[in-house]
Amino acid sequence: MNCHPTLCGMLVDVEEGHVVAVRGDPDNPDSRGFLCMRGHAAREIPDNPHRVLHPLRRSARGGTWQRTTWEDALDTIADRARAVGPRAVGAWSGHGFFANNYGTRLSVELLRRFANLYGCQTWNPTMICWGLGGFGLGLTGVLRASTKEDMGASSALILLWGANLASQPNTGPHLAAARRRGAHVVTIDVRRTEAAAQSDETLLIRPGTDAALALAMMHVIVAERLHDAGFVARHTLGFEELSAHVARHDPTWAASVCGIDADRIVALARRYATTRPAMIVLGGSSMHKGKAGWQGARAVACLPALTGNLGIAGGGMGPRHGAKSHGQDLASIGADDRRRPGEYVPNQMSRVTEALEERRVRVLLLFGTDMLSSYADAGRVDAALQGVDLLATYDLFFHDTARRHADLFLPATSWLEDTGCKSTNTHLYLMPKVLEAPGETRPAAWVLRELARRLDVQDYFPWSTDTGPLDALLDHPATGHATAAALAAEGGIRELRISHVAYPDLRFDTPSGKVEFVSERAARLGLPALPVFESADADAYPLRLRTGRTLTHFHAFYDRGRALPSLARADPDPRLWIALADAETRGIAEGDGIRIFNRRGEMRARAHVTDRIPPGTVWIRDGWEGLNTLTSGAPVLPDPAVDLFGFSGGQADFEASVDVSVST
């Protein structure tokens, strides 16, 4: 129910074709019986009265929905697509499209195969999530992550840098195991998260200042000669340039930027450099939102190389959303080598919005995504969607984009109603189909096959069985060339053939094979060759807004969680964390209805007045209606950079400074 690498194992009781109970699987090697509220809420999905079970259409936006047939819905899509041509058709998927195959992303691979063979537009889902942080890590060369098991068994120091255990609850037991061994745990974040309660110390920094903190730590390590000179000489490039660069970024400077005392920065740097092995668990998505969020990841990734903490048990970079363990991979069925030549909209959020505005994309197919919740500057996206000739959405429940803009609603199957397969960093899991699809819901593969047939897309589904695409995807040494049948025979669980320690061969993800403090690739793309700190632009609005996750929700899934009763009860309305001082100056008390606003938009929420967030910063969990009307849709990277590593770093900057007032 959550993003890779969490993925908790479930035992499900089914009676007469209905789910009656869900509980954690004690034999699951990753979750060990743990199941959070989101997982328990899964029992409320299949028979949910709000679920859409039949194809729907309407003759006008905002009009009344009428039941229709699959033939009518798919014929309508095909007719409109033929009328505008493949280049004016866009196919976009979100997290909901691979809820049944996290880690393997089977549905996304099938959608990409369709788009490549048909020649339409499609964009990588990572551009709204972890891709921007991954870009920064990739430039340094430290993309692979060591596992939570390695952390629990071997780490002596753990920095939870923007990493909240609400996003990685299965990391928690291994963190606790490390602490029982005597490991020291430090949380670095913009608020006191759930992770802070499991830490020995917490540093609260200003939003977007991660790179400044990392540069100052490097300043101390280099100036006091605490770096591993042998490792640096053998396995890195650009140390001399980095040394000169960080000399200008001392702890006093960083203290003024980050909002923490200089002596705490010095102490952290010394502890990190002198405690081995030391592991950094980096945040996956939220910490990289901002004008230069990727620079934070890039600078942080220099630290383990500087101290020789790579390629050793308990060191390096720990489990991270979207990261692969060393050796983990799958085959591809996306047919990327068969993509038709032509002009395509880049994997860049701002460019997609422009293409919609300019009507270069006129037919839009959305699979498992509420686009208005996912995209920055949602007011601009909302206006752009008004001009689309046809918008069809494939999902379980209505959401804001469907209500406002869809012409067709295609009803999706859920978890348990189709064969699924997930992958954590250590194991492969098969989920058998145990429920019949209700009403006229259909699996993703069926929908795409039917569209491909209508549009005469050749060789779209060359497999003879429904599990053929999955078998092809799993045909890789990391899985032991698994198949659905083999996994079923083994009880549905197979250990991956990976190294728990990342980079045991000390060959890194750069052209040189070394960690690159200085990146020629960055320079060629017009980006700084060294990691830098870039401050956010001055803004008339005084409070820096940040978002994240909680254990009671996951993005905008299930109509922002409103469709699942247990999640709706636990999280009934948006709550903005605001510091005591900021609340007092605005006459705001705990629980007050408030208005959050800036020049781009506004939203309504309730105030959570707390000392767990410093003045000047406010925080709210993501996915709420109206939240992204506040955020900036400006691009962060140049177009040629976004696909450098095979995933998209084309996230908008999502920067937002706001003010808050009591709602009237």
Side-chain angles (χ1 to χ4, degrees), residues 272-314:
Y272 180 75
T274 58
T275 308
R276 283 170 65 95
M279 181 175 286
I280 300 174
V281 181
L282 196 66
S285 176
S286 300
M287 74 167 283
H288 305 299
K289 290 184 174 179
K291 176 182 177 182
W294 64 277
Q295 288 283 11
R298 185 181 179 199
V300 170
C302 294
L303 289 166
L306 201 59
T307 56
N309 265 300
L310 292 169
I312 61 172

Side-chain angles (χ1 to χ4, degrees), residues 248-494:
R248 300 189 294 272
H249 297 83
D250 61 53
T252 301
W253 164 82
S256 67
V257 171
C258 300
I260 54 177
D261 293 340
D263 58 354
R264 297 196 73 189
I265 298 174
V266 173
L268 178 64
R270 288 172 178 167
R271 183 186 290 273
Y272 180 75
T274 58
T275 308
R276 283 170 65 95
M279 181 175 286
I280 300 174
V281 181
L282 196 66
S285 176
S286 300
M287 74 167 283
H288 305 299
K289 290 184 174 179
K291 176 182 177 182
W294 64 277
Q295 288 283 11
R298 185 181 179 199
V300 170
C302 294
L303 289 166
L306 201 59
T307 56
N309 265 300
L310 292 169
I312 61 172
M317 305 299 291
R320 171 181 58 83
H321 177 46
K324 294 178 180 179
S325 52
H326 195 89
Q328 182 185 4
D329 220 331
L330 296 168
S332 176
I333 58 173
D336 292 334
D337 59 336
R338 298 171 63 184
R339 187 151 179 76
R340 297 183 181 184
E343 186 175 334
Y344 293 103
V345 179
N347 279 298
Q348 178 88 295
M349 189 178 292
S350 58
R351 302 296 178 240
V352 176
T353 302
E354 289 172 4
L356 293 168
E357 289 175 327
E358 296 166 3
R359 288 178 52 79
R360 287 183 284 125
V361 173
R362 297 172 57 187
V363 172
L364 186 61
L365 311 178
L366 299 179
F367 293 87
T369 181
D370 181 357
M371 195 171 186
L372 290 177
S373 174
S374 300
Y375 268 51
D377 199 356
R380 182 181 172 192
V381 177
D382 185 54
L385 290 175
Q386 297 280 7
V388 173
D389 292 359
L390 178 76
L391 192 153
T393 185
Y394 172 85
D395 223 310
L396 298 168
F397 300 98
F398 274 102
H399 46 68
D400 295 335
T401 307
R403 292 186 187 98
R404 290 184 58 77
H405 298 292
D407 303 289
L408 295 167
F409 195 109
L410 312 179
T413 50
S414 79
W415 157 82
L416 301 179
E417 296 163 3
D418 191 22
T419 300
C421 189
K422 299 186 180 183
S423 178
T424 64
N425 286 139
T426 58
H427 289 81
L428 199 62
Y429 297 99
L430 182 75
M431 284 94 65
K433 175 182 175 179
V434 295
L435 296 178
E436 291 303 315
E440 295 180 276
T441 59
R442 296 289 186 271
W446 182 89
V447 175
L448 291 169
R449 288 176 75 175
E450 287 296 309
L451 281 175
R453 181 174 64 81
R454 284 168 169 79
L455 293 168
D456 196 29
V457 178
Q458 299 299 308
D459 197 35
Y460 173 68
F461 201 92
W463 304 283
S464 59
T465 65
D466 288 343
T467 60
L470 177 59
D471 292 345
L473 195 66
L474 298 179
D475 188 13
H476 189 277
T479 73
H481 301 281
T483 64
L487 287 172
E490 297 167 17
I493 300 175
R494 177 179 289 192

